[in-house]
Structures are given as structure tokens and as C-alpha cells.
Amino acid sequence: VFINEHHSIGFSTNGNFSNNIWNSHSSTPIISVIQDSTLEALSDNRGIRNNASASINYQWKGKNEQTLVADFSYGGFNIQNNNFQPNAYVTPYGVPLSEDNFQNNTKTIIGLTVGKLDYNFKWKNISWEAGLKATQVNTNNNLNFFFVESQSLVADSNRTNAFDYKERVLAAYANASGKYKKIGWQIGVRGENTQSIGTLTALSAQSTRAVDRLYTNFFPSAALTFEQSEMSVFNLTYSRRIDRPRYQDLNPFESRIDQLSYSRGNPFLQPQFTDALELSHTLFYMITS
């Protein structure tokens, strides 16, 4: 909605709602000197995966290329899955030996709130940018693991647990860029303060109870561009960035393929930092080295 030439407001929303059914079959030969048996494992999964988000933004345009943009958004995710997993051991000739059946029901709810404020203006042929951003993520994960005995569900206290994770990131940045004759330049820095806590609650005692972190980092960036000619341009750039672990990689839940194969996250994973320095040359607008 364009209120006038200086002010506008926008709103958007989207969602995705799905019901899923999928199955798998794995066959694992078990061998010492000769093949002793084979594990025939089935996996019958039924679940839902729903997400919805909405955002609102305000924009102001002033003189000297001034702009002020404010954004606020919220997204919610609801993921549930019920998995029945029979595991049958048979001889190499297909004669049944034993059977272990499991049922695990998982539920994950994620709430993501983001607020941003960006201000741009031009002064003395230099473009200036500054901004603030706050992000809050709350995730609730529940795993109920059962032994299936005579069609009855018996809770497994060693695997049934709940994992809650909260993460708050506060960030601010400033950036300046300009051009003098054939040389273009850009320099900036972003600061981030991150606080997170992950708490594992289980029916039985666990070695990991809570993981609490608080850290501050700075991420500078710079670039130089030299236009040797209209068809030949050199670029030198430097940047530092952070890549945080995915939430599912922090979640200590067990995700089982069969009785012998599973994966689970590690709440002690650290973020990854990357420093990148790059020199490039572009010729004829299409050949880059």
C-alpha cells in the first residue's frame, strides 16, 4: 500500500500444509566367517509437516537517496511423525529366528521471530548503510520410543526424551561504499551477540542436561574494484562469516533406519567461521578468472 510518495506499507503471508505416508525396506546381511543371518527391517511412516509465516514491512523514502525500511516477521513450523518399525532376523534360507518391533512418535514445533531495521543514505558521493536485526528461535522436540510387545506399546525410558532449544541473535551492521575515478571500494562490519540454551529432559538419567552459550563476534568485509578498461575489471574482496549448526544437528534424538542403524544430533556442536579472500578478473563481461 503506497500511502504517498514517501511512505508505503506491505504485508505478506504464506503456508504449506502436508500429510505424508512413506515406507522403506532394508536388508542387512550379518556375517562373521560365513553369513549367519539377515536383518529384514521395514519402516512405515505417517506424519504431517505444516508451516506458516507472515510479515509486515514499512518503507520511507526521503531526499539524497535516503530510505528507512522496517520488517517484522513470524513463522511457525509443526512437524509430526509416527514410525512403526518391525525388525525380523532370518537365516540365509529365510527361516525366522527372532523379531524386535519398535514404534517411535516424534513431534517438533518451531517458532521463528525476526525484526529488522535498515537505513540508507548518500553523503559526499558515498553510500552509507546501517541496520539492526533481532532473531528469536524456540524449538520444542518430543520423542516417545516404544517396544511393541503383543500389539501393546511399552515405553523405552532410555530413548524417550524431550529437547528444547532457544536461540537469540542480536546484530548490528554499518557499511560504506563509493567510487573514485576507476577505483570502487566498499568497507563494512557486522557485530552479533548470540545466546542459546538447549535442555534435554529424559525418563532416565542422561550425561547431557543443558548446554548454555553466550558469545559475541564481529564480521568485517571489504572490496576493491579496478576498471582497467570497459572490458577488463579486477576485483579484490574479503569477508568473514558464521555458519551455525542446523537445529536438527543439535537435537540428540535418535532417528532409526533399522535396529542396527541410527543417527542423532550433538548439542555440543560449535558454529563454523569462514574467512574468504578472493582476487578475480572479468574480461569482456563473460570470462572470469
Side-chain angles (χ1 to χ4, degrees), residues 141-272:
N141 308 272
N142 289 279
L143 168 64
N144 294 301
F145 198 97
F146 304 96
F147 298 109
V148 181
E149 299 177 357
S150 301
Q151 298 184 342
S152 298
L153 299 181
V154 179
D156 183 351
S157 60
N158 292 320
R159 296 190 178 97
T160 297
N161 54 52
F163 180 68
D164 294 331
Y165 181 79
K166 295 181 180 180
E167 180 183 82
R168 185 217 64 201
V169 180
L170 302 178
Y173 79 92
N175 189 72
S177 61
K179 187 175 182 180
Y180 178 74
K181 295 183 178 181
K182 292 186 176 183
I183 298 177
W185 59 272
Q186 174 271 322
I187 188 169
V189 65
R190 187 179 82 256
E192 290 188 0
N193 175 266
T194 303
Q195 182 176 19
S196 65
I197 182 169
T199 306
L200 178 67
T201 305
L203 293 180
S204 60
Q206 300 285 330
S207 58
T208 302
R209 304 305 298 176
V211 181
D212 194 356
R213 292 195 180 96
L214 177 64
Y215 54 92
T216 300
N217 302 106
F218 292 93
F219 305 94
S221 65
L224 281 175
T225 301
F226 174 62
E227 296 181 1
Q228 183 182 27
S229 68
E230 188 176 347
M231 297 295 180
S232 176
V233 180
F234 290 88
N235 290 282
L236 178 64
T237 63
Y238 166 76
S239 65
R240 177 174 170 82
R241 69 173 185 266
I242 183 173
D243 296 299
R244 294 180 176 85
R246 297 178 303 168
Y247 303 127
Q248 66 193 68
D249 293 334
L250 297 170
N251 191 337
F253 283 2
E254 286 188 5
S255 176
R256 287 188 167 264
I257 301 171
D258 56 40
Q259 190 175 15
L260 303 179
S261 307
Y262 68 91
S263 64
R264 66 183 176 191
N266 177 5
F268 287 105
L269 289 178
Q270 299 285 342
Q272 167 183 290

Side-chain angles (χ1 to χ4, degrees), residues 16-263:
N16 188 343
F17 306 91
S18 63
N19 292 306
N20 308 294
I21 298 176
W22 66 98
N23 303 280
S24 67
H25 175 205
S26 64
S27 183
T28 306
I30 300 173
I31 299 170
S32 51
V33 178
I34 60 174
Q35 182 172 339
D36 298 325
S37 60
T38 300
L39 170 59
E40 299 290 347
L42 301 176
S43 183
D44 180 15
N45 297 270
R46 299 173 183 270
I48 63 172
R49 191 178 187 91
N50 301 332
N51 65 75
S53 63
S55 64
I56 186 170
N57 68 80
Y58 163 78
Q59 181 170 306
W60 170 79
K61 292 184 178 180
K63 299 178 180 180
N64 299 322
E65 301 182 18
Q66 293 182 87
T67 61
L68 177 66
V69 180
D71 290 279
F72 179 82
S73 63
Y74 177 80
F77 302 83
N78 183 358
I79 304 169
Q80 299 182 40
N81 183 48
N82 296 333
N83 172 228
F84 174 62
Q85 190 178 91
N87 297 267
Y89 291 87
V90 298
T91 68
Y93 307 102
V95 179
L97 294 173
S98 63
E99 185 171 331
D100 295 314
N101 298 329
F102 306 118
Q103 171 84 29
N104 61 77
N105 303 332
T106 60
K107 182 177 182 179
T108 298
I109 297 177
I110 302 174
L112 174 62
T113 305
V114 180
K116 296 192 300 179
L117 184 67
D118 299 285
Y119 177 59
N120 302 332
F121 67 98
K122 198 163 187 177
W123 180 64
K124 291 188 176 181
N125 295 321
I126 298 176
S127 297
W128 302 84
E129 303 174 51
L132 303 171
K133 183 178 180 180
T135 304
Q136 177 69 45
V137 178
N138 297 322
T139 70
N140 304 104
N141 308 272
N142 289 279
L143 168 64
N144 294 301
F145 198 97
F146 304 96
F147 298 109
V148 181
E149 299 177 357
S150 301
Q151 298 184 342
S152 298
L153 299 181
V154 179
D156 183 351
S157 60
N158 292 320
R159 296 190 178 97
T160 297
N161 54 52
F163 180 68
D164 294 331
Y165 181 79
K166 295 181 180 180
E167 180 183 82
R168 185 217 64 201
V169 180
L170 302 178
Y173 79 92
N175 189 72
S177 61
K179 187 175 182 180
Y180 178 74
K181 295 183 178 181
K182 292 186 176 183
I183 298 177
W185 59 272
Q186 174 271 322
I187 188 169
V189 65
R190 187 179 82 256
E192 290 188 0
N193 175 266
T194 303
Q195 182 176 19
S196 65
I197 182 169
T199 306
L200 178 67
T201 305
L203 293 180
S204 60
Q206 300 285 330
S207 58
T208 302
R209 304 305 298 176
V211 181
D212 194 356
R213 292 195 180 96
L214 177 64
Y215 54 92
T216 300
N217 302 106
F218 292 93
F219 305 94
S221 65
L224 281 175
T225 301
F226 174 62
E227 296 181 1
Q228 183 182 27
S229 68
E230 188 176 347
M231 297 295 180
S232 176
V233 180
F234 290 88
N235 290 282
L236 178 64
T237 63
Y238 166 76
S239 65
R240 177 174 170 82
R241 69 173 185 266
I242 183 173
D243 296 299
R244 294 180 176 85
R246 297 178 303 168
Y247 303 127
Q248 66 193 68
D249 293 334
L250 297 170
N251 191 337
F253 283 2
E254 286 188 5
S255 176
R256 287 188 167 264
I257 301 171
D258 56 40
Q259 190 175 15
L260 303 179
S261 307
Y262 68 91
S263 64

